[in-house]
């Protein structure tokens, strides 16, 4: 009888040991699977965010590669000309010292400049065309609409570089105030 009790206790102890070992192994495997699943979700999420950023940003020749702001939001600002060249490629920055461009997010463009001490202001509209690769300005004066198109070279929150689409030597670097 004592032997039977000892045998039952030993078998019971072995069964408990096997059950605990099984649950421990199963728990470790379950935890490993959950960790791998969590890691895969994080990597997938990071790859999706990267893909969205790379496909939603427009890479201009002079940058930026990625921006969190839309092109329209980056254009909408008050700008001054920090550098300009004329049709011959000569520096004409000093001719634009008094000029100020203001582009609002709703597409309204305003340019102010001084001639002989008098400030003149013209209002028109601006558009991003050709999938955001080009910038268009439209101004109507005395019933005549003037349209200028520019190739965007660089567009950041602080810098907006454009080149005349017709005369590639005319280039304007705009900077925020």
């Amino acid at each position: 009888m004592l032997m039977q009790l000892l045998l039952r206790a030993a078998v019971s102890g072995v069964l408990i040991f096997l059950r605990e070992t099984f649950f421990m192994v199963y728990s470790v495997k379950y935890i490993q699977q959950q960790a791998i699943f969590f890691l895969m979700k994080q990597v997938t999420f990071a790859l999706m965010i990267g893909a969205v950023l790379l496909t939603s940003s427009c890479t201009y020749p002079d940058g930026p590669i990625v921006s969190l702001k839309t092109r329209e939001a980056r254009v909408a600002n008050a700008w001054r000309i920090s550098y300009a060249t004329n049709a011959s490629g000569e520096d004409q920055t000093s001719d634009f010292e008094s000029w100020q461009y203001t582009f609002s997010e709703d597409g309204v463009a305003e340019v102010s400049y001084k001639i002989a001490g008098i400030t003149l202001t013209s209002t028109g509209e601006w558009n991003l065309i050709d999938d955001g690769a080009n910038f268009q300005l439209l101004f109507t004066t005395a019933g005549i609409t003037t349209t200028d198109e520019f190739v965007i070279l660089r567009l950041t929150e602080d810098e907006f570089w454009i080149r005349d689409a017709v005369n590639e030597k005319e280039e304007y670097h705009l900077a925020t105030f």
Side-chain angles (χ1 to χ4, degrees):
M1 177 93 163
L2 183 59
M3 277 306 256
Q4 281 182 337
L5 284 174
L6 287 173
L7 186 61
R8 277 189 187 169
V11 169
S12 206
V14 168
L15 288 176
I16 291 172
F17 173 76
L18 289 175
R19 185 183 74 200
E20 294 299 320
T21 304
F22 172 77
F23 285 122
M24 189 171 20
V25 168
Y26 178 76
S27 296
V28 169
K29 284 187 178 184
Y30 178 76
I31 291 169
Q32 287 174 341
Q33 287 175 346
Q34 291 302 313
I36 290 170
F37 180 69
F38 178 75
L39 183 62
M40 288 174 51
K41 284 186 354 184
Q42 297 296 340
V43 168
T44 303
F45 181 72
L47 289 173
M48 288 174 46
I49 293 296
V52 167
L53 287 175
L54 288 176
T55 58
S56 68
S57 65
C58 179
T59 304
Y60 298 113
D62 292 311
I65 293 173
V66 175
S67 177
L68 298 178
K69 290 181 88 175
T70 65
R71 295 176 199 119
E72 290 81 3
R74 285 180 275 160
V75 170
N77 214 331
W79 302 96
R80 64 176 174 76
I81 294 184
S82 61
Y83 174 76
T85 58
N86 61 18
S88 302
E90 299 165 346
D91 189 335
Q92 65 175 18
T93 307
S94 62
D95 295 344
F96 291 96
E97 287 179 355
S98 68
W99 290 56
Q100 177 179 336
Y101 292 87
T102 304
F103 305 123
S104 61
E105 285 195 51
D106 61 358
V108 174
E110 184 178 283
V111 60
S112 299
Y113 51 95
K114 287 184 181 178
I115 295 179
I118 300 171
T119 300
L120 302 172
T121 302
S122 296
T123 304
E125 60 184 79
W126 67 271
N127 298 296
L128 292 175
I129 56 174
D130 302 325
D131 292 326
N134 293 334
F135 178 71
Q136 182 183 61
L137 281 174
L138 298 115
F139 287 99
T140 303
T141 305
I144 299 172
T145 301
T146 305
T147 304
D148 290 313
E149 288 187 19
F150 303 90
V151 176
I152 300 174
L153 303 175
R154 180 173 177 79
L155 178 57
T156 66
E157 292 180 53
D158 303 338
E159 296 176 303
F160 185 23
W161 298 358
I162 52 178
R163 181 177 51 229
D164 192 289
V166 176
N167 185 340
E168 292 186 3
K169 291 187 178 183
E170 285 186 30
E171 191 170 308
Y172 305 92
H173 293 189
L174 288 79
T176 57
F177 282 96

